[in-house]
Amino acid sequence: MLTLQPPQLLFSFTLITGIFIAISSSSWFILWMGLELNLLSFIPILTSSSNRYSAEAALKYFLIQALGSASLLAACPLSLIFSHLATLIISSALLLKVGAAPFHFWFPPVMQGISWLQSLTLMTVQKITPIAMMNSLLHEMSTQIIILSSISSSIVGALGGLNQTLTRKIISYSSINHMAWLLATVSFNENMWLIYFASYTLISASVVAILHSAQIFHFNQLLTMNLLSKPLKLSLFLSLLSLGGMPPLLGFLPKMLVIQEFIFTHTSLIWLMSLLMSALLTLFFYLRMALSSLILSSTKLKTSLHENFSPSPLILPFLNLSPLLYPLVFLIIY
């Protein structure tokens, strides 16, 4: 059972406070203060892990985020003289903070050195402020920068996860690929990225809950999942398919909304094709993970997972089946 120590609770509270300060401020200086409060709260959370690589991951994360924050702070006075250069620096700093390509180099190594719950925070909560800033600065930011970063993220996220055997790196490249879709939603409207981000957070939480409960960090460990834990395997299978956007699961709905918006607004066809082709490639390594746990099991590798197995990780994954209930909800309402 997960228990948080008082220091972790304190830093978690200040982390959330930093996000609210940043997204609600109308001043660049207060926004920067919120970003720094969020950063300085997340570093102790990273180092609280018993993993021996957590200090290295925390140092990498600190250096990258400090570079992004320093770039933001330097771009503010620069905007009075060179507005276009300042816009480019701000856009690059925000893309660096969220780990979008071509500034993604730090994201997989940091994910590899931290625990699953910290990885979930890094993939979801830590992206709220930069994405909200991108949405508010959309008119000042160049559309070409967003398109280039989105296409690059889709390609890097899809190709980077193909040859990985470490599950945290696979999920990190998956997050980079989903960042491409999030950048596309940011370019449309605020409601769109909120819907996509909320769906992605729920699905990622369902995958991380299973991998954390079974303590799976390597691809081979998927083979050691006990043959008796079939509900665990089924829930992992559904969660990974939902993360890949397979209908009629939850992950399909936000992607369908994005595709509809692309068609209705006559946005770049090349952009849409890169997102769709990368989604097929990511679905391939999701299926490889799911089938490894579902089919390629060996009785010789059997562990005692069923002895200490808790049904709590199974609650979140079955939220992926919630779209099947939507017609019933509409019938009740109307």
Side-chain angles (χ1 to χ4, degrees), residues 202-211 213 231-240 242 249-250 311-323:
L202 281 175
I203 300 167
S204 298
S206 66
V207 173
V208 168
I210 299 170
L211 297 177
S213 65
L232 188 69
K233 294 181 179 182
L234 178 61
S235 57
L236 178 61
F237 187 74
L238 290 175
S239 299
L240 289 171
S242 182
L249 301 173
L250 180 62
S312 57
L314 301 179
I315 299 173
L316 269 176
F318 283 96
L319 288 175
N320 295 304
L321 294 173
S322 59

Side-chain angles (χ1 to χ4, degrees), residues 8 42-63 106 108-119 122 168 217:
Q8 293 177 325
F42 192 51
I43 296 298
I45 294 176
L46 291 180
T47 55
S48 64
S49 175
S50 57
N51 184 0
R52 61 179 179 175
Y53 299 110
S54 59
E56 180 185 350
L59 181 60
K60 290 178 181 177
Y61 182 78
F62 172 75
L63 292 175
W106 63 272
V110 171
M111 282 275 290
Q112 181 57 30
I114 57 180
S115 68
W116 275 117
L117 297 179
Q118 294 166 354
S119 299
L122 181 60
R168 279 175 294 188
F217 301 107

Side-chain angles (χ1 to χ4, degrees), residues 19-34 76 133 136-137:
I19 293 175
F20 280 114
I21 290 174
I23 64 177
S24 61
S25 65
S26 57
S27 166
W28 278 104
F29 184 70
I30 301 298
L31 187 147
W32 178 78
M33 286 180 59
C76 294
M133 290 176 63
S136 61
L137 295 172

Side-chain angles (χ1 to χ4, degrees), residues 108-143:
V110 171
M111 282 275 290
Q112 181 57 30
I114 57 180
S115 68
W116 275 117
L117 297 179
Q118 294 166 354
S119 299
L120 179 63
T121 306
L122 181 60
M123 290 189 297
T124 56
V125 176
Q126 294 301 96
K127 291 184 178 180
I128 294 176
T129 306
I131 296 175
M133 290 176 63
M134 288 183 200
N135 183 73
S136 61
L137 295 172
L138 186 61
H139 298 293
E140 287 79 10
M141 290 178 66
S142 175
T143 310

Side-chain angles (χ1 to χ4, degrees), residues 106-328:
W106 63 272
F107 196 76
V110 171
M111 282 275 290
Q112 181 57 30
I114 57 180
S115 68
W116 275 117
L117 297 179
Q118 294 166 354
S119 299
L120 179 63
T121 306
L122 181 60
M123 290 189 297
T124 56
V125 176
Q126 294 301 96
K127 291 184 178 180
I128 294 176
T129 306
I131 296 175
M133 290 176 63
M134 288 183 200
N135 183 73
S136 61
L137 295 172
L138 186 61
H139 298 293
E140 287 79 10
M141 290 178 66
S142 175
T143 310
Q144 284 75 19
I145 296 175
I146 294 180
I147 295 175
L148 178 62
S149 179
S150 179
I151 293 175
S152 303
S153 298
S154 64
I155 295 172
V156 168
L159 297 180
L162 289 177
N163 62 343
Q164 298 296 329
T165 57
L166 300 170
T167 51
R168 279 175 294 188
K169 281 199 173 181
I170 292 175
I171 298 301
S172 69
Y173 281 107
S174 164
S175 179
I176 293 172
N177 180 263
H178 280 279
M179 194 63 226
W181 290 83
L182 274 170
L183 289 174
T185 59
V186 166
S187 66
F188 293 135
N189 56 67
E190 184 177 357
N191 293 331
M192 183 78 68
W193 83 260
L194 286 174
I195 292 171
Y196 194 100
F197 185 79
S199 302
Y200 171 68
T201 301
L202 281 175
I203 300 167
S204 298
S206 66
V207 173
V208 168
I210 299 170
L211 297 177
H212 173 70
S213 65
Q215 288 297 294
I216 295 175
F217 301 107
H218 196 274
F219 200 85
N220 289 338
Q221 289 177 286
L222 292 168
L223 306 179
T224 67
M225 294 178 68
N226 194 285
L227 296 175
L228 300 178
S229 59
K230 290 182 175 60
L232 188 69
K233 294 181 179 182
L234 178 61
S235 57
L236 178 61
F237 187 74
L238 290 175
S239 299
L240 289 171
L241 287 184
S242 182
L243 196 61
M246 283 289 287
L249 301 173
L250 180 62
F252 171 69
L253 294 179
K255 289 189 175 180
M256 183 185 68
L257 293 176
V258 175
I259 294 169
Q260 274 187 335
E261 199 69 24
F262 266 102
I263 295 171
F264 292 156
T265 57
H266 303 287
T267 317
S268 172
L269 182 62
I270 298 176
W271 191 3
L272 177 60
M273 288 301 296
S274 68
L275 292 176
L276 292 177
M277 293 303 294
S278 67
L280 290 176
L281 288 175
T282 55
L283 189 60
F284 169 75
F285 58 76
Y286 294 147
L287 282 171
R288 189 176 62 168
M289 286 180 63
L291 291 176
S292 298
S293 63
L294 197 65
I295 298 174
L296 303 175
S297 296
S298 170
T299 53
K300 294 181 180 180
L301 298 174
K302 200 162 61 168
T303 63
S304 59
L305 182 63
H306 66 288
E307 295 176 1
N308 55 3
F309 173 68
S310 171
S312 57
L314 301 179
I315 299 173
L316 269 176
F318 283 96
L319 288 175
N320 295 304
L321 294 173
S322 59
L324 298 177
L325 303 176
Y326 291 170
L328 180 61

